[in-house]
Each structure stands twice: as structure tokens, then as C-alpha cells.
Amino acid sequence: MRRQEVLTVTGSFDDGATYTVQITGRADRPVIGSHRAAALVELHQGESVALSPTGPMKTVTGGDEASVLAVLRRYTDVLEEAGPAPRRARAPEL
């Protein structure tokens, strides 16, 4: 069986506390590794968030890796991303 690669994100909150999480792509547990980051994602579920600085907008759902990453980028200082790109991310149409 081939191991599924996950996106690992390292960042910091406004108060300087750091985190490292894995974005799972699972609706029931969108991130693992930080209770605080998980609570942040849960807090913003159902809201619209820009997938990049110029859009497009997407509703945050736990099973959507791109929207979970967008929440972390929007509300924390993401320092590093390692692993495959989110599967549901799309480039903005020009």
C-alpha cells in the first residue's frame, strides 16, 4: 500500500505561539498537530475565504484542503508549507 502524502504547514499566531499541522483532507478532522489551529479552522467553517490574494473565493469546509490552508494563511503567519499542493486548489481564471 502506498502512503498518502500530506501537506504540512508551520506557522505562528499573532501572540508568537508556533504550530505545525498536517492538513488531512478529512471533514471530521481537517488538521492534526495543534488544537489551537484546529479550533481556528472550525471557527471559520462555512465562511468564504480567498484561496489566494486575488481569489477565487471558496467556502471553508473541513474536507477541502485548499480552503483549510487559506484559513491558516489568512489568520496566521504561515512560515513553511511542505508536501503536495492542496488537491482542490484552482488557479484563478484570467
Side-chain angles (χ1 to χ4, degrees):
M1 182 187 308
R2 188 175 156 193
R3 184 176 164 209
Q4 180 181 5
E5 298 213 19
V6 295
L7 177 62
T8 301
V9 178
T10 301
S12 65
F13 295 98
D14 287 344
D15 64 2
T18 60
Y19 68 89
T20 297
V21 295
Q22 293 180 336
I23 297 178
T24 66
R26 293 176 32 199
D28 63 328
R29 196 166 178 197
V31 297
I32 56 174
S34 166
H35 294 293
R36 190 170 172 189
L40 178 69
V41 172
E42 184 176 332
L43 177 68
H44 292 286
Q45 288 211 35
E47 296 179 5
S48 291
V49 66
L51 295 180
S52 71
T54 58
M57 299 297 286
K58 181 95 179 206
T59 301
V60 178
T61 60
D64 183 344
E65 296 164 333
S67 68
V68 171
L69 177 57
V71 167
L72 295 175
R73 286 177 176 160
R74 168 70 177 91
Y75 295 102
T76 71
D77 183 20
V78 172
L79 305 170
E80 182 178 359
E81 300 171 25
R87 287 178 286 196
R88 291 174 182 82
R90 284 189 267 166
E93 294 181 22
L94 300 177

